[in-house]
Amino acid sequence: MTSISLLKKNVGIVLEKKNLTKVKARVGLVIDISGSMRPLYKNGTVQRVVEKVLALASQFDDDGILDVWLYDHRYTRLPSVSEEGFQNYVETQILQNDYIPKFGRNDEPPVMRDVIKKYIEEEPSKDPAYIVFINDGGVKRGKGDTIDKAVIDSSKYPVFWQFIGIGDNQFGVLEKLDTIDGRVVDNANFFQINDIETLPDEELYEKLLFEFPDWLAAAKTAGIL
């Protein structure tokens, strides 16, 4: 059994448990590429994250496509990835691509706005967008366009944000998502793991899909879906 096949099997087990086997969703992956993430790109961790989320996309999305963004204080839409082209995706599409901005400081809201733009303005669909957002700490702080404002603004749309904090850093507003007021529905979840490499796949998918069923129900009740 190939690595992606095994991952898909583990996804299927969790989808069955959560009664999500008939749910269709577009899946996006947003990956922090600020300076502190450099080791995780170099040692293959980010490549394996792409593969794990791709397995989820292959079960949720009819075309099995995973949309990918990178961000530091800039952002980049990468070519989407599928089962046919995931091998060495990070090396060829990111590390060897000198045109992609890399290893700057954190600024999450601009890439969040671009995600919303793609799924709501450019490619509207009856299927919701499920976004996995990887961050290793040091999220943008201050006033103006902030993470919580982007979360609030997107709560009226069929977009669910699943934030993952990697490492033992501080994650600021991401740790307080459940207390954000002013949303139509609770449209975001956060969990933190010290080492994504050592977390069993089935446990990872349990965490990834922990709040998604509740959001689906709330979004349907609110007329968002």
Side-chain angles (χ1 to χ4, degrees), residues 4 54 63-66 79-87 89:
I4 198 74
L54 174 61
D63 60 12
I65 294 296
L66 175 64
S80 298
V81 61
S82 69
E83 288 185 55
E84 287 70 43
F86 73 90
Q87 294 93 345
Y89 179 85

Side-chain angles (χ1 to χ4, degrees), residues 34-179:
S34 60
S36 56
M37 284 286 292
R38 188 191 300 265
L40 299 183
Y41 281 88
K42 298 290 187 181
N43 69 11
T45 296
V46 173
Q47 172 66 31
R48 287 184 282 278
V49 168
V50 170
E51 294 172 11
K52 291 173 191 290
V53 181
L54 174 61
L56 179 60
S58 71
Q59 303 291 76
F60 264 158
D61 197 320
D62 283 337
D63 60 12
I65 294 296
L66 175 64
D67 300 317
V68 185
W69 283 260
L70 299 177
Y71 81 95
D72 51 12
H73 55 284
R74 303 142 297 190
Y75 67 84
T76 304
R77 286 193 201 183
L78 291 182
S80 298
V81 61
S82 69
E83 288 185 55
E84 287 70 43
F86 73 90
Q87 294 93 345
N88 298 316
Y89 179 85
V90 168
E91 183 66 30
T92 57
Q93 297 292 341
I94 301 173
L95 295 180
Q96 294 181 6
N97 188 338
D98 294 334
Y99 293 98
I100 291 177
K102 305 177 184 72
F103 308 129
R105 64 183 186 278
N106 286 80
D107 190 0
E108 290 77 17
V111 70
M112 294 176 72
R113 300 291 178 188
D114 194 60
V115 169
I116 297 167
K117 181 180 179 181
K118 175 180 174 65
Y119 291 122
I120 303 306
E121 297 179 19
E122 298 175 1
E123 301 175 13
S125 170
K126 61 181 178 59
D127 294 331
Y130 173 90
I131 312 302
V132 178
F133 199 112
I134 305 292
N135 175 275
D136 77 334
V139 297
K140 180 185 177 181
R141 301 177 182 178
K143 300 179 180 179
D145 196 15
T146 57
I147 293 174
D148 50 348
K149 186 175 188 305
V151 167
I152 292 168
D153 291 347
S154 63
S155 68
K156 60 181 177 289
Y157 298 129
V159 176
F160 180 81
W161 304 94
Q162 177 57 69
F163 293 94
I164 304 176
I166 296 178
D168 57 0
N169 294 318
Q170 298 298 310
F171 292 93
V173 67
L174 297 182
E175 299 176 9
K176 304 174 183 178
L177 288 175
D178 288 337
T179 66

Side-chain angles (χ1 to χ4, degrees), residues 40 45 136 164-169 171 191-199 207:
L40 299 183
T45 296
D136 77 334
I164 304 176
I166 296 178
D168 57 0
N169 294 318
F171 292 93
F191 65 87
Q192 180 178 350
I193 48 181
N194 286 334
D195 186 356
I196 199 167
E197 296 275 34
T198 61
L199 187 69
K207 289 178 176 291

Side-chain angles (χ1 to χ4, degrees), residues 14-23:
V14 177
L15 292 177
E16 189 75 38
K17 285 181 182 178
K18 296 184 175 295
N19 296 315
L20 292 173
T21 55
K22 295 183 180 179
V23 170

